[in-house]
Amino acid sequence: APGVFRPTASNVASVLEAMPGVEIRRGVEVASIEITRSAVTGVVLGSGERLPASLVLSRLDPRRTMLGLVDPGWLDPEFVRAIKNIRYRGVVARVMLTLDKPPGFAVLAVAPSLEYLERAHDAAKYGRVSERPFIEARSLGPAGGGRYRVMLHVQYAPYAPAEGEWNDERRAALADGAVRALGEHVPEIASAIVERQVMSPVDLEARFSWPEGQAYHGELGLDQALFMRPVPAWAQYRSPIRGLYLCGPGTHPGGGIAGAAAANAAKIVARDARRGSHPSARTPRS
């Protein structure tokens, strides 16, 4: 609606950059988080540059943050064990289609029955790509030159196949199955395709840093949800390191509600700042 601010990555960045004292760096690698006496003291970039900081919020998955950027020597062994045991097991692939005519739908889901979904999931459970997958197809609108883009969210495809690995042949087979399943409901879709791109769970991990292709940075199982996300005892966006907070999909409520985890984390950070406290799991070491 006119006059309503609709946040996107670009316009939010523009607003932040206009604020005094705010600097945004894009495409910069973070090598490690510096810690002294169990408290954050800075961030070290891949270039070797050190940025002093007493507060760090990480949207990376919990395992990469706590065991990749933080020296595990600062962490309790039980906490380290819990982080290592987070299940990811991504089973989602993405197929991008370019069509020479409008797809005829805005959003379409291929999920005829619970039995259909169960059988689709069974394939990934045994390390195979589902031949009759669940599909959420979303039209992305015109792509210019009389072309149209459609994104297929395809389930189920295992991150680690039982036999072999993800290669061009396996990616092509996944796309064939997805188009075939979608074609049962949109018969004209196959003849309209002029180009297609396939991203397996491995590709999604490489491009978007989704661990094992898991967009939610951890399965949303009953034992990894709510007060047990990312791990029990540390489900309120805090970490055992003072000044280090987690705010990504690996925290509650996951990635299904855009920005919710970060908004919740910001409230916790503000609350701790007002109280001048941060719960810590262990006695600081020198």
Side-chain angles (χ1 to χ4, degrees):
V4 175
F5 177 73
R6 299 187 182 281
T8 64
S10 60
N11 62 27
V12 167
S14 298
V15 170
L16 291 174
E17 286 177 321
M19 298 174 64
V22 174
E23 178 185 354
I24 295 178
R25 299 195 188 185
R26 298 177 176 86
V28 176
E29 177 191 2
V30 175
S32 63
I33 297 173
E34 278 194 339
I35 300 167
T36 301
R37 297 181 61 82
S38 290
V40 167
T41 55
V43 171
V44 179
L45 304 184
S47 63
E49 180 183 1
R50 178 182 180 273
L51 303 177
S54 59
L55 176 65
V56 172
L57 282 80
S58 174
R59 195 181 178 278
L60 296 174
D61 72 274
R63 188 182 298 171
R64 185 175 176 186
T65 299
M66 303 308 305
L67 304 185
L69 300 183
V70 171
D71 178 352
W74 290 104
L75 304 172
D76 184 274
E78 288 299 321
F79 177 80
V80 171
R81 185 177 298 109
I83 291 291
K84 285 183 176 180
N85 287 335
I86 293 174
R87 295 191 316 279
Y88 294 112
R89 296 191 301 190
V91 291
V92 175
R94 180 179 292 179
V95 179
M96 301 294 296
L97 302 177
T98 302
L99 312 179
D100 60 9
K101 62 181 179 181
F105 60 83
V107 179
L108 185 150
V110 178
S113 66
L114 289 176
E115 182 181 0
Y116 181 97
L117 294 176
E118 183 177 359
R119 291 185 179 277
H121 181 263
D122 278 345
K125 189 165 60 176
Y126 296 110
R128 304 189 305 271
V129 175
S130 174
E131 296 180 358
R132 294 178 60 78
F134 161 75
I135 297 174
E136 180 182 318
R138 185 178 299 273
S139 173
L140 302 181
R147 303 293 172 85
Y148 298 83
R149 297 275 280 171
V150 173
M151 180 173 67
L152 307 185
H153 176 94
V154 183
Q155 295 179 204
Y156 292 86
Y159 173 78
E163 298 180 1
E165 59 185 20
W166 281 101
N167 53 29
D168 290 344
E169 181 179 355
R170 181 163 271 146
R171 291 182 181 90
L174 182 146
D176 290 340
V179 171
R180 187 165 52 248
L182 183 60
E184 294 180 7
H185 304 273
V186 188
E188 64 277 12
I189 196 78
S191 62
I193 298 174
V194 295
E195 184 181 354
R196 66 187 193 184
Q197 298 175 322
V198 183
M199 298 186 72
S200 70
V202 171
D203 301 320
L204 293 172
E205 178 181 57
R207 181 166 180 178
F208 301 116
S209 296
W210 293 353
E212 296 185 17
Q214 174 57 261
Y216 289 177
H217 293 187
E219 286 185 347
L220 282 171
L222 291 177
D223 60 335
Q224 293 190 164
L226 300 171
F227 60 90
M228 292 182 285
R229 189 171 188 85
V231 295
W234 292 101
Q236 293 296 320
Y237 312 97
R238 302 181 181 97
S239 78
I241 305 300
R242 292 193 304 280
L244 176 58
Y245 296 79
L246 302 177
C247 64
T251 58
H252 176 74
I257 305 174
N264 291 344
K267 294 176 182 177
I268 295 298
V269 171
R271 183 184 307 168
D272 287 350
R274 288 194 300 270
R275 296 175 177 175
S277 65
H278 176 98
S280 178
R282 55 179 301 184
T283 302
R285 74 178 185 185
S286 56

